[in-house]
Amino acid sequence: MVELPPVVARMWGREHSSRRGPKPRLDLATITAAAIEIADTEGLAGLSMSSVAAQVGVAPMALYRYVGSKDELLTVMSDSAVPSPPERGELSWRDYLAVWTRANRDFLLSRPWLLSLQGLTPPMGPRRLYWLDRLLDALGDTTLDDGEKFNAATALTGYALTDATLVHATKAAGQELAAAGVKGATDYGEVLAEVLDPATYPVLSAMMRSGLLRESEGWTEDADFLFGLNLLLDGIEALMARRAGRPE
């Protein structure tokens, strides 16, 4: 039997502890909540064992009784900061996967500091694994085998993370570009149309000169998210059709 890593044992309440001595002043949930509050306010740049200790009113060394390192604390935070997944109700598998992926993307955007943590390790905490379980459950009665269901979940999780990262980065970059007069995708397209040499960039140059981005509002649109999401869902549906022996 594989021994649980300490941080995983802590997240699941499986860590062995002695009953001797006075009752601890703190617990992992209190420490994690304080760390999340700091990250929400200041980002990960403001997070340290010292800042968390000050938040809960103890010396920094006192935290190590509950969490082995800052990296372990970040691992716990990346799970504890995740909300509950959406309920499926009467939704079809496809509608639920669409709702699930959007909700995944949206909670990452609500806490941008999670973007740098979610892709570091596979989900091992109770909250992130519950998201995975709910998506797999929605695929339960389909023709996909277990490996294909798991890979579909991985693809949609990755898409939510990638899109949230892109939207967040674009907003940050857009603020800087606005100072130079480039206030959105429309202005960006005009800049590209000006600088692209048709001899070197024939296709991209033609697209920009035709006004591809002319009707865009801001930098990102919901239609962009839906386009990529529907590509993935169409692919999953096509795979189901192949497994069932139906025309796609």
Side-chain angles (χ1 to χ4, degrees):
M1 183 176 179
V2 177
E3 183 176 354
L4 293 177
V7 66
V8 176
R10 290 188 178 104
M11 285 192 289
W12 289 90
R14 302 279 291 275
E15 188 177 33
H16 296 294
S17 59
S18 172
R19 296 185 179 182
R20 297 180 180 179
K23 184 178 179 180
R25 285 184 54 196
L26 292 173
D27 55 35
L28 183 59
T30 300
I31 293 169
T32 305
I36 290 173
E37 183 177 346
I38 293 171
D40 284 343
T41 304
E42 305 177 36
L44 294 182
L47 183 74
S48 66
M49 297 299 273
S50 296
S51 64
V52 175
Q55 186 86 347
V56 297
V58 299
M61 290 304 297
L63 298 182
Y64 291 96
R65 179 177 181 180
Y66 308 91
V67 60
S69 64
K70 180 182 176 181
D71 285 343
E72 283 195 5
L73 178 58
L74 290 172
T75 298
V76 179
M77 289 169 62
S78 71
D79 188 75
S80 298
V82 173
S84 297
E87 296 289 339
R88 182 181 179 186
E90 300 300 319
L91 293 176
S92 67
W93 72 264
R94 180 172 179 132
D95 287 343
Y96 181 72
L97 264 58
V99 169
W100 185 98
T101 306
R102 180 182 290 278
N104 195 324
R105 189 276 302 262
D106 288 349
F107 83 68
L108 290 171
L109 284 174
S110 72
R111 283 180 157 150
W113 56 268
L114 279 171
L115 294 172
S116 61
L117 301 180
Q118 289 290 304
L120 295 180
T121 59
M124 299 186 77
R127 289 177 178 265
R128 290 177 65 192
L129 286 175
Y130 190 52
W131 276 77
L132 176 58
D133 181 82
R134 293 301 80 206
L135 186 146
L136 294 173
D137 179 72
L139 293 172
D141 294 331
T142 68
T143 55
L144 302 183
D145 63 34
D146 286 349
E148 291 164 343
K149 293 171 187 175
F150 200 89
N151 286 337
T154 300
L156 291 170
T157 300
Y159 179 64
L161 175 59
T162 299
D163 189 80
T165 301
L166 176 63
V167 170
H168 178 65
T170 300
K171 286 182 178 179
Q175 293 174 354
E176 297 180 5
L177 288 171
V182 181
K183 299 179 180 179
T186 298
D187 292 340
Y188 175 66
E190 292 181 2
V191 169
L192 294 187
E194 177 67 27
V195 301
L196 288 172
D197 180 359
T200 307
Y201 308 93
V203 179
L204 184 57
S205 175
M207 286 183 176
M208 294 303 107
R209 290 173 187 272
S210 71
L212 176 66
L213 302 180
R214 192 167 294 152
E215 302 302 321
S216 300
E217 297 181 6
W219 284 100
T220 59
E221 298 179 357
D222 193 58
D224 300 331
F225 171 75
L226 288 174
F227 181 83
L229 176 59
N230 282 321
L231 281 180
L232 288 170
L233 295 177
D234 286 348
I236 293 170
E237 193 161 15
L239 180 58
M240 290 180 183
R242 287 202 296 273
R243 293 292 174 265
R246 304 192 308 268
E248 296 178 16

